[in-house]
Amino acid sequence: MSASFTKSTARNIFYGGSVFFFLIFLGLTVDTTLAVPSHNAKAQLTDAAVRGKKIWETRNCAGCHTLLGEGAFFAPELGNVYVRRGPEFIKGWMKAMPTNVPGRRQMPQFNLNDAQLDDLVAFLKYSSQINTNNWPPNIEG
Amino acid sequence: MNGQSLELTAAPPARHIPGDLAMWCFILAELAVFGVFFLVYGVYRRQQPALFAEGQSHLALLLPTLNTLLLIAGSACMVAAVKRFALDRQAAARRALLLAMVFGSGFLLCKLYELAGKFMAGISLSSNDFWMFYLSLTVFHFLHVVLGMVIVAAVWWMARDGRYGPGRLDGVETAAAYWHMVDLVWLVLFALVYVAR
Amino acid sequence: MSNATVAALPASKATVNDQIKYRSQAVAKPYFVAAIGLFIGQILFGLIIGLQYFKGDFLFPAIPFGTARMVHTNLLIVWLLFGFMGAGYFLIPEECERELYSPKLAIITFWVFLVAGALTILGYLGLPYNVLAHLTGNDLLPTMGRGYLEQPLITKVGIVLVALSFLFNLSMTLLSGRKTSISIVMMLGLWGLAIFFLFSFVNPNNLVLDKYFWWWVVHLWVEGVWELIMGAMLAFVLVKVTGVDREIIEKWLYLIIAMTLITGIIGTGHHYFWIGTPGYWQLLGSVFSALEPVPFFMMTVFAFNMVKRRRREHPNQAATLWALGTGVMSFLGAGVWGFLGTLSVVNYYTHGTQLTAAHGHMAFYGAYAMVVLTMISYTMPLLRGREANSAAAQKLEKTAFWVMTLAIVGITLSLTAAAVTQVSLQRLSAAPLSFMETQQHIMPMYWARFGFGLCFFTGLMMYVTSFFVTGKRES
């Protein structure tokens, strides 16, 4: 078999292919951005949930936990913790940390006040309402 | 193929591959993408035969059949263009390229009309699994026809100063190979999504 | 370039280095030294968190896991960036056949980046994260607290400024110099890196969109534009050590990165399966990312082919070994281990498990750590005034290569075993165990991972030592 193989064709395929597929990706991004609200019609992004998201971020929760499977793999998935444990358990748990059990993984005490705890719970409630296409496979996350 | 092709000079003269090897790599990648797509389509269809049959019943056959003919006509034009460039019939060859683009445009117009009807009916990627496949496959292929036309247009434009001729056919052959790939994918897509019910 | 800027070079060792073609290439040296220093820091924090996996209260509350992990991942990014920048400052003048536009700016940028990086790490370790966020203006524009993008707002702005200074310097060099494919691909990659980093400032309140655009930084970096940088660096070193015709290497470079972007851009969809995005991403993400191993495989074949067809025996054998290693390990880590969990039907069970960690470790090491080490291995002897290191130094460097690489294989296999256990007990089981119960069953794998981590650290120390082996018995 013989064939020509030129740098200019390879270069054109690189530029053309990249632009072509990036434009498709942009088109899909527009479609996704438009479809996200109806896909997640049940998810209530309340003001409290927005404040809770800031608490989630500024305490670096994703440094240990996953949320919808993304984050760190040191501590349990929290996307569905609202369903798994319920609001009161979450607040009580946050207040009781750290357990100081020797050798066990420790979660820091973040000293959140009651209003902040409510906001965080609102955020976790919102997370649990997101339509994840039935992920995780079971309640344990 | 990657490695050996570099050492071709040592090999005895054998069959000639038309066009550029880089384009053949690209074509292989594209065929792999579509191939996996079709495979997954088959799996989903097996799982939900009723849903797919219902979806297919909303697809008219006349326009896609016409489209098939248009693309094949385009392919024939590309073959003609290569042959005419090989004989150094520059004007006739460029006319064939132009005609290929006319057929391509015809395909795009028919396809746009069909897709517009579906969008008007409120069908989107998220409607159900059948429409997800229908839209992603046909739109993805549609964009390949657009890309194919851009490539043919580039060849047509560059051919104006007699760049292609006997022994200098790589550019035209490369474009033709891409067009044939787009055509081939459509034939499978047409059979799988429209005809096989 | 004026004489004043030449004088600003760290050229106190007045003896002319005839191994580098352009004096300004010497600015790469501090970048590479900093990269290796930060690499050591990254591994030390990696050992801390590796230990915390089975001895949960280690260093608690002084350095909680979340903080140490953040330091581990951020140091990784920063040292790789230092490596890319050093590579850019070395590679672009050489390819463009002219001195760097402004070596002085390159040195200023180096110190700004190093000090900003060090202050950020000190901030992580010395302040509660929310206090750091408050002090650094996170209330104005919340961007913190998302994986890899934990940096305070002012650090992020600093990174943008550093990147602009770096890109300005290199672009001005390129514009008035020889334009080769390698230098153009390198610059495209570096510009892409800077542009996609801007999405780190995008943090919608809607969690789904937040995650969607978070991947525009993370995925489009490591499975997109970074691969252009990696390809260009690898091609540059291969041109040098094999002596193969540049035309051949460059056309393969274009073809490989074309395949990378064709599969990788829409391949982003493999992150959009379960985060609240529409279901069609399961189809698109699976189809395109199933083909993502292809360019990595091509890269491996390419590296071996070029070395096989070499036209010269370069005395720097260690650099060749690193280049080949990059080909193989990036294919294994990014290609094979990436593929393991990429199809949506599999990912449904493996998403968010130790499989991601296994893939992440081997891919980051195999693709990016190794390509930077390849570049350092090739350039550092030149920057230190010799074509290659002594046989003794190279022997130690090659041993370090094998120790580190096999240690990463060990880490990856341990974490893969951990993932298999985790998926079967927590995800597939008819009576699934809780996350923490499952972790108890994985402890032996975490012990093994830590052991391999210690091996890796040993290899790294050997690598650092190889810089100080003079080997008087030079041939």
Side-chain angles (χ1 to χ4, degrees), chain A residues 39-87:
Chain A
H39 184 73
N40 295 287
K42 284 187 191 143
Q44 299 295 317
L45 184 56
T46 59
D47 290 344
V50 171
R51 290 193 299 273
K53 183 166 184 276
K54 301 292 165 268
I55 294 170
W56 167 272
E57 287 167 358
T58 54
R59 270 64 181 181
N60 191 28
C61 301
C64 296
H65 293 276
T66 49
L67 186 68
L68 309 188
E70 294 172 358
F73 317 115
F74 189 68
E77 161 69 26
L78 296 186
N80 62 353
V81 72
Y82 185 87
V83 184
R84 184 166 68 238
R85 299 292 198 177

Side-chain angles (χ1 to χ4, degrees), chain C residues 277-297:
Chain C
T277 35
Y280 58 78
W281 282 110
Q282 289 174 47
L283 171 66
L284 297 175
S286 301
V287 168
F288 280 89
S289 64
L291 294 167
E292 276 191 64
V294 171
F296 284 105
F297 183 70

